[in-house]
Amino acid sequence: MSSNKKYWKSVEELNENSSIVEALRNNEFVEEIPTTDFLSDKESLSSSSTTRRDFLKYVGFSTAAATLAACEGPVHKSIPYVLQPEQIIPGVADFYASTMFDGFDFANLLVKTREGRPIKIENNTIAGAKFAANARVHASVLSLYDSMRLKITKVAQKDATWQEADLKIKASLADAKAKGGQVVLLTGTLASPSTEKLIGEFIAKNSTAKHVIYDAVSESAALDAFEAAYGERALVDYDFSKANTIVSIGADFLGDWQGGSYDSGYAKGRIPQAGKMSKHFQFEANMTLSGAAADKRVPMTVASQKQALVKIYNVITGSVVSTTKVEGEDVIMKAAQQLKAAGSKGVLVSGIQDKNAQLLVLAINSALASEAFSTSGTRQIRKGSNEKVAQLIADMNAGSVHTLIMSGVNPVYTLADSKAFVSGLKKVKLSAAFSLREDETASITNIAVPAPHYLESWNDLMLTKGTYSLTQPTIRPLFSSKQFQDALLSWIGSNTEYYDYIKMNAGNYTNGASWNQTVHDGIAVGVAGAATGGSANFAAAASALASSAPAKGFELVLYTKTGLGDGQQANNPWLQEFPDPITRVSWDNYVTVSQSDAAKLGLENRIVANGGLDGSYATLTVNGVKLENVPVIVQPGQAKGTLGMALGYGKKVGLKEEMQVGLNAYAFYKGFDNVQSATIEAAGGMHEFACVQGQKTLMGRGDIIRETSLEVFNSKGADVWNPVPVVSLDHKEVEATKVDLWESFDRSVGHHFNLSIDLNACTGCGACVIACHAENNVPVVGKSEIRRSRDMHWLRIDRYYSSEDTFAADNKKKEEFDGLFGDKGSLGGFGQMENAADNPQVSFQPVMCQHCNHAPCETVCPVAATSHGRQGQNQMAYNRCVGTRYCANNCPYKVRRFNWFLYNNNDEFDFHMNDDLGRMVVNPDVNVRSRGVMEKCSMCIQKTQLTILTAKKEGREVAFDEFETACSAACSSGAMVFGDVNNKESQVAKLAEDKRMYHLLESVGTKPNVFYHVKVRNT
């Protein structure tokens, strides 16, 4: 029997005369469909390949331009890395080989796209693709969907068309040519043979034009030295895998020194093989990733580093240049002797921004005949000249520059004396900037042109001499952008598209490979001849360096942080929330001070009740430039008499308000010298840091970070340096691995996944953290939530400092505790061990869900939301979870995260998930979690299942090393290895049998599927 009841959808329907109700009944779409935004005009409609069905499917999106760009797929000339699809197949990812270079970062990539949207960056592992993605490159896919990008050309700060801007620029070029006015193209390093050739053609047609290359973070000293010695403006591409002895003087080569990407080669020599591993000495002012990895680290002012370099030069070359005595002289001489003994298996690098210092580096490595040092295959990723940039500013202020065209630079933000640049810009008759964002420079130029993101562009690159790689678009341009190279072609009167121009030139560099093959692979490897020619007076350089005057007052050492680099991606929330590997602070830059200097200056850090970190404010003065209210981090390992501060922060223009954090340290970067004389004094108030790690020491807990020396590793059994923990059973000591509270399942059938983490290879770079963000839709929560210990990272990299000079000394001190009170009492002793040493040893440990076979979280969940899978993964059923958080309380590893808020589409969290454009990066294979549920590492179950299903569909077994997670795929050092432990041919199965293998907190009996390898130090 049918019901006659009438149901009302809203109270408004009770009013029979309501116009709103009538409108809703008659209109399927409440708001007018933005057809003009989609199709613009009849011409666009006729040229679009979007079908009516696709149009209706995507019409609900508010980001119409981005949607159309995605649904049409990449430019038709792109060739997918794996296969060429005739059309986009929903649910199936396509990968495109590409190359990223933004003037600072670079990498050989595979770009993962879903339904035409780039959503993930992967490393291209084909032969010759040697540059892996760092954290910033992994995050660059989110910068594609930055809602603050410049969307339309602007003339005199008003919206215009490219055609209007083009006419003005052409008129200005013609006027300059007629009047003999100077035309300047100001760009960052291009590393593109086609672009450089095109600029040459432009200059040939415009006789008064010149090209000035400007790197925001300069390597001009090293470039000048190499050019003097070898006649070529380039950087050496060191191969640390060929070095047994490594000496670094102020070079953070595991960070951003000369472009970075050295961790892979370095890690190969750091894993003990046949009882041997490389020896690494580090002399530096700031605590860096390289210093943290070193076997022997000596904190040292830059003035002392210069003396140390000359002393080593004397030992290696037999010279007798007079030097002054410095602290740590014994270690310097030891390093010099070991370097000389290593001969061709030794290498020295230096980050001192002084041409004379860099000349000595070349002389030392040449004298050693170092295999890690080669003048062939040089890096082309830095070409800037400090001298030419300074001359340009002088010319602008003299009124001799008629037309200034900029691409990929932001000098108003990055120049120390930006006021001089701004005043000169006012005297230029026409200025134009091709920029991704309406930044500090683009916002004050006569013309601002939106530049395409590298994922929307064609380009070619020569990152190292002899190696040719291509950048190809993976999505149509989201906005009305214009590529700088296409504009150059237009200005020289060519109708050729830049794609065709690259293709015409490619044959000169591909070493016989076809165009299609090069696009498919992303790279073509040729043969690079060694650099020759040039001459340099090394003895004079050594004398000049030895007599250089030390800084007055404190030495301020400027550096780039692992997260933000030079600041180009300051509007990227993934990078802002990324905790610095050393300080563990996000959403800030700060001045780092040594513990002894902080005590003298009255500066302090303290952990407050909610787990947040508070720090003093200071006033910093450099060359008459004063910055007030600079937050202070008291940094163990900072050299006395030195300060550190990161560049790349303090941007205000073209950024969301939440991302406008920190202070602009470029204001101190006078003369492109990263070392400046500074004064510092305490200021009132305390700064609230977002710091994810409160502990400062390991406190002798050697079962967490296990480590030993190479001597002990070689001479004693694993039971000494990697003992199996014991527990009491029937009043007898029994190995913890042989005692169980549960019956174990037979895990030998089918796949069983394990993740291996080698503490010797991990450099703390954080690429895995950002890759996990991208793969698993991890939300960004912002500074205030981080401060409340509510970070949502599925993967964290714990950093530990030793309390004594070494972790071994920590353990010894702990073992010698006697009673509770007194000099050796455990109460006072553990309190002392909370304080890091002045020059501590440092260890990094990636920690994610350990996927315990006997997981404590599973036993306490009242609704069975977390359970164990047959393949070893600890799984989460989000729809079952009611948020009791019992599992988090019961987890000994503290890896589970609770969604306190809805982070998606919430104005309180105005990051990428709060706007439609930003959500284009979301991986559709992974849930976007809602409020009130627990989430954690899933061991990328979506990736493991895809691998299994792909093999099944292709009628084959899974290859022995085919499985991977986001973190293991991103790890360029090889520290993380994932796979099926039941497949005895797999690398992870072999690593599980290694004598260095141990489980985290093994005595608890959780039987994790993640295991670690004991850290061995070559001390």
Side-chain angles (χ1 to χ4, degrees):
M1 181 175 171
S2 63
S3 171
N4 292 320
K5 289 183 179 179
K6 187 171 183 179
Y7 293 93
W8 306 96
K9 292 182 180 178
S10 68
V11 176
E12 189 69 30
E13 288 192 53
L14 295 173
N15 181 0
E16 294 181 1
N17 299 319
S18 171
S19 59
I20 296 174
V21 173
E22 189 65 25
L24 288 172
R25 284 174 179 166
N26 295 329
N27 291 293
E28 181 180 358
F29 300 104
V30 179
E31 297 181 6
E32 185 180 353
I33 300 172
T35 52
T36 54
D37 292 345
F38 271 77
L39 302 175
S40 183
D41 50 36
K42 290 181 179 179
E43 287 71 24
S44 297
L45 180 59
S46 61
S47 63
S48 173
S49 62
T50 307
T51 64
R52 177 179 176 278
R53 179 177 296 174
D54 285 335
F55 174 81
L56 293 174
K57 180 166 60 176
Y58 289 105
V59 76
F61 279 75
S62 61
T63 50
T67 305
L68 269 192
C71 73
E72 288 203 350
V75 176
H76 67 279
K77 294 170 184 172
S78 298
I79 301 176
Y81 182 76
V82 181
L83 59 110
Q84 183 173 359
E86 292 182 4
Q87 57 186 11
I88 292 171
I89 304 172
V92 176
D94 288 319
F95 290 85
Y96 297 84
S98 192
T99 310
M100 184 267 195
F101 179 64
D102 63 3
F104 190 73
D105 292 309
F106 51 93
N108 302 115
L109 310 174
L110 296 181
V111 183
K112 179 182 179 181
T113 67
R114 281 292 303 269
E115 287 72 62
R117 296 175 294 117
I119 63 168
K120 179 79 167 52
I121 299 298
E122 305 279 4
N123 289 323
N124 189 348
T125 56
I126 198 169
K130 60 186 291 186
F131 297 119
N134 61 20
R136 296 185 295 271
V137 175
H138 279 287
S140 65
V141 68
L142 180 58
S143 295
L144 168 67
Y145 303 113
D146 183 357
S147 60
M148 299 297 289
R149 280 178 59 184
L150 183 59
K151 299 177 179 65
I152 192 169
T153 300
K154 298 206 170 188
V155 176
Q157 287 78 50
K158 295 181 180 178
D159 291 356
T161 64
W162 159 248
Q163 287 74 16
E164 292 175 63
D166 190 35
L167 286 173
K168 286 184 177 294
I169 294 172
K170 284 178 177 176
S172 183
L173 292 173
D175 188 49
K177 193 171 186 178
K179 295 178 179 177
Q182 192 177 122
V183 175
V184 177
L185 301 179
L186 178 63
T187 73
T189 299
L190 298 167
S192 167
S194 290
T195 308
E196 289 168 359
K197 181 174 183 289
L198 183 53
I199 287 175
E201 293 173 8
F202 174 83
I203 292 172
K205 284 193 174 274
N206 296 272
S207 55
T208 59
K210 67 176 182 178
H211 181 207
V212 177
I213 301 173
Y214 165 50
D215 295 325
V217 180
S218 176
E219 291 289 353
S220 193
L223 291 164
D224 292 344
F226 193 85
E227 188 173 22
Y230 295 103
E232 178 184 319
R233 195 163 184 78
L235 298 172
V236 178
D237 187 32
Y238 294 90
D239 186 352
F240 289 97
S241 68
K242 296 179 179 178
N244 292 339
T245 302
I246 301 166
V247 178
S248 170
I249 300 180
D252 182 18
F253 58 87
L254 296 180
D256 293 332
W257 174 77
Q258 294 191 5
S261 291
Y262 289 114
D263 49 349
S264 177
Y266 174 80
K268 289 175 184 175
R270 299 297 292 167
I271 298 172
Q273 301 284 350
K276 295 180 180 180
M277 61 182 286
S278 62
K279 181 72 178 263
H280 175 190
F281 293 91
Q282 185 82 13
F283 303 91
E284 62 182 11
N286 298 339
M287 174 67 84
T288 66
L289 291 179
S290 301
D295 297 304
K296 183 63 180 177
R297 177 185 181 272
V298 181
M300 186 177 282
T301 65
V302 177
S304 295
Q305 290 173 34
K306 292 177 179 179
Q307 299 298 320
L309 183 56
V310 178
K311 292 174 191 291
I312 295 173
Y313 171 79
N314 284 341
V315 171
I316 302 299
T317 64
S319 302
V320 287
V321 179
S322 178
T323 60
T324 56
K325 193 175 179 68
V326 296
E327 194 173 343
E329 186 113 5
D330 55 335
V331 184
I332 295 169
M333 298 313 293
K334 181 180 178 181
Q337 295 296 345
Q338 291 194 17
L339 188 62
K340 187 174 183 178
S344 63
K345 291 294 183 181
V347 67
L348 179 140
V349 293
S350 177
I352 300 172
Q353 294 298 312
D354 183 297
K355 181 180 176 180
N356 293 320
Q358 295 301 324
L359 282 170
L360 293 196
V361 172
L362 301 177
I364 290 168
N365 286 312
S366 296
L368 291 169
S370 171
E371 294 177 19
F373 170 93
S374 174
T375 62
S376 61
T378 52
R379 291 190 171 200
Q380 307 293 307
I381 46 88
R382 300 286 186 272
K383 291 287 185 70
S385 170
N386 297 348
E387 185 182 341
K388 290 181 179 179
V389 172
Q391 184 61 51
L392 169 63
I393 296 171
D395 289 346
M396 288 167 63
N397 281 283
S400 57
V401 177
H402 182 285
T403 303
L404 176 65
I405 301 171
M406 295 171 280
S407 175
V409 292
N410 184 9
V412 176
Y413 165 66
T414 56
L415 279 173
D417 191 10
S418 62
K419 289 182 180 177
F421 184 87
V422 172
S423 66
L425 199 63
K426 293 175 181 175
K427 297 176 183 178
V428 173
K429 292 192 176 180
L430 185 131
S431 59
F434 288 75
S435 175
L436 273 172
R437 296 168 189 84
E438 195 171 4
D439 54 29
E440 288 82 352
T441 302
S443 60
I444 63 171
T445 52
N446 303 130
I447 296 171
V449 183
H453 191 270
Y454 79 92
L455 291 171
E456 304 168 320
S457 314
W458 278 105
N459 204 1
D460 64 353
L461 295 164
M462 192 170 283
L463 301 178
T464 57
K465 194 174 181 181
T467 303
Y468 184 72
S469 53
L470 289 173
T471 301
Q472 64 168 317
T474 55
I475 189 171
R476 289 184 182 274
L478 302 181
F479 307 114
S480 300
S481 55
K482 187 72 175 179
Q483 194 164 347
F484 175 60
Q485 291 89 341
D486 280 317
L488 281 173
L489 284 163
S490 170
W491 298 335
I492 65 173
S494 173
N495 294 322
T496 307
E497 291 185 3
Y498 186 50
Y499 164 80
D500 296 313
Y501 188 85
I502 295 171
K503 191 173 180 180
M504 284 189 293
N505 292 318
N508 299 322
Y509 311 107
T510 56
N511 197 32
S514 69
W515 169 256
N516 282 355
Q517 186 66 44
T518 306
V519 176
H520 177 276
D521 294 347
I523 191 165
V525 181
V527 179
T532 56
S535 62
N537 188 337
F538 297 117
S543 298
L545 192 66
S547 60
S548 58
K552 296 177 182 178
F554 281 89
E555 281 184 357
L556 173 64
V557 182
L558 301 170
Y559 67 100
T560 54
K561 277 178 73 172
T562 305
L564 279 198
D566 65 348
Q568 287 188 58
Q569 295 192 73
N571 205 41
N572 191 310
W574 286 350
L575 295 176
Q576 289 283 10
E577 192 145 300
F578 173 74
D580 182 74
I582 300 294
T583 64
R584 309 295 288 136
V585 172
S586 58
W587 293 100
D588 257 317
N589 69 336
Y590 34 76
V591 61
T592 55
V593 186
S594 71
Q595 298 184 112
S596 59
D597 287 335
K600 293 174 187 174
L601 293 165
L603 303 171
E604 64 171 336
N605 287 162
R606 58 170 179 253
I607 297 172
V608 293
N610 66 356
L613 178 70
D614 287 358
S616 302
Y617 281 116
T619 300
L620 206 56
T621 307
V622 178
N623 297 315
V625 178
K626 181 183 288 188
L627 275 184
E628 297 181 340
N629 294 326
V630 182
V632 173
I633 287 288
V634 180
Q635 177 61 59
Q638 184 80 29
K640 295 176 184 176
T642 69
L643 310 168
M645 192 169 183
L647 302 166
Y649 286 80
K651 287 175 69 72
K652 302 295 182 187
V653 182
L655 271 71
K656 286 186 176 182
E657 185 178 351
E658 289 80 4
M659 256 66 82
Q660 296 175 24
V661 296
L663 299 165
N664 186 4
Y666 279 113
F668 294 148
Y669 196 32
K670 184 179 179 182
F672 302 98
D673 192 344
N674 69 328
V675 181
Q676 302 283 342
S677 296
T679 60
I680 183 173
E681 55 186 16
M686 297 292 284
H687 182 78
E688 295 184 345
F689 286 108
C691 182
V692 298
Q693 181 163 325
Q695 70 259 39
K696 299 183 179 67
T697 175
L698 194 61
M699 289 183 64
R701 292 172 290 188
D703 55 342
I704 298 174
I705 295 275
R706 292 191 187 179
E707 64 171 58
T708 188
S709 68
L710 184 61
E711 181 186 0
V712 172
F713 176 76
N714 287 333
S715 61
K716 298 186 178 178
D719 58 319
V720 174
W721 48 264
N722 189 20
V724 178
V726 294
V727 294
S728 177
L729 180 68
D730 296 331
H731 306 288
K732 295 178 182 178
E733 285 190 345
V734 180
E735 290 184 352
T737 53
K738 295 180 179 177
V739 181
D740 229 330
L741 295 177
W742 293 274
E743 290 184 13
S744 292
F745 294 100
D746 178 10
R747 301 188 181 94
S748 63
V749 179
H751 302 295
H752 191 82
F753 299 119
N754 273 202
L755 176 63
S756 167
I757 301 174
D758 195 325
L759 300 181
N760 261 54
C762 179
T763 63
C765 72
C768 55
V769 176
I770 302 299
C772 177
H773 253 300
E775 176 67 32
N776 295 297
N777 303 331
V778 176
V780 173
V781 300
K783 182 175 181 178
S784 62
E785 291 300 297
I786 292 281
R787 186 170 165 79
R788 292 183 176 93
S789 301
R790 292 176 178 174
D791 64 291
M792 294 301 295
H793 294 101
W794 284 14
L795 164 62
R796 69 176 191 265
I797 303 180
D798 288 337
R799 178 268 299 135
Y800 293 102
Y801 294 141
S802 64
S803 175
E804 303 296 310
D805 288 341
T806 65
F807 285 111
D810 282 6
N811 289 331
K812 185 174 184 295
K813 181 174 182 177
K814 180 196 71 171
E815 289 163 3
E816 292 179 353
F817 285 157
D818 185 9
L820 294 176
F821 306 100
D823 292 339
K824 289 191 174 182
S826 60
L827 287 180
F830 275 120
Q832 293 168 16
M833 292 178 76
E834 283 288 351
N835 301 314
D838 284 339
N839 181 28
Q841 282 188 338
V842 184
S843 282
F844 297 110
Q845 185 177 54
V847 180
M848 67 294 290
C849 175
Q850 302 291 290
H851 295 272
C852 310
N853 288 316
H854 292 165
C857 56
E858 295 169 13
T859 59
V860 296
C861 182
V863 292
T866 182
S867 59
H868 211 70
R870 183 73 191 179
Q871 297 169 345
Q873 289 141 314
N874 175 256
Q875 299 172 348
M876 277 296 305
Y878 298 122
N879 286 352
R880 291 187 66 89
C881 180
V882 294
T884 62
R885 291 181 286 150
Y886 296 161
C887 56
N889 292 332
N890 217 37
C891 174
Y893 309 104
K894 302 306 169 192
V895 291
R896 305 179 76 88
R897 301 287 178 259
F898 182 67
N899 291 63
W900 290 93
F901 300 98
L902 178 67
Y903 301 112
N904 174 39
N905 201 20
N906 186 339
D907 290 342
E908 294 298 319
F909 300 93
D910 191 15
F911 308 113
H912 67 291
M913 284 195 179
N914 188 47
D915 61 73
D916 289 334
L917 186 62
R919 281 195 292 270
M920 297 286 279
V921 83
V922 166
N923 182 0
D925 293 332
V926 180
N927 290 33
V928 175
R929 282 75 60 187
S930 188
R931 179 186 178 189
V933 302
M934 299 297 304
E935 62 179 76
K936 60 160 194 74
C937 160
S938 68
M939 252 186 198
C940 290
I941 191 168
Q942 70 280 1
K943 290 175 72 70
T944 56
Q945 294 311 300
L946 177 62
T947 302
I948 293 168
L949 291 172
T950 301
K952 183 178 179 180
K953 189 173 78 170
E954 294 174 359
R956 60 175 176 84
E957 292 185 359
V958 178
F960 61 87
D961 277 330
E962 191 174 353
F963 289 112
E964 62 182 16
T965 57
C967 56
S968 68
C971 184
S972 56
S973 67
M976 291 182 172
V977 178
F978 178 78
D980 179 6
V981 77
N982 284 343
N983 185 337
K984 299 308 176 186
E985 295 298 313
S986 68
Q987 189 180 355
V988 77
K990 295 171 184 175
L991 290 169
E993 302 299 322
D994 192 281
K995 61 182 181 179
R996 287 198 296 131
M997 188 277 287
Y998 75 97
H999 291 104
L1000 196 56
L1001 300 179
E1002 200 158 30
S1003 57
V1004 178
T1006 54
K1007 298 190 180 301
N1009 283 315
V1010 177
F1011 58 85
Y1012 295 82
H1013 284 77
V1014 174
K1015 187 175 181 71
V1016 180
R1017 293 185 189 268
N1018 193 355
T1019 53

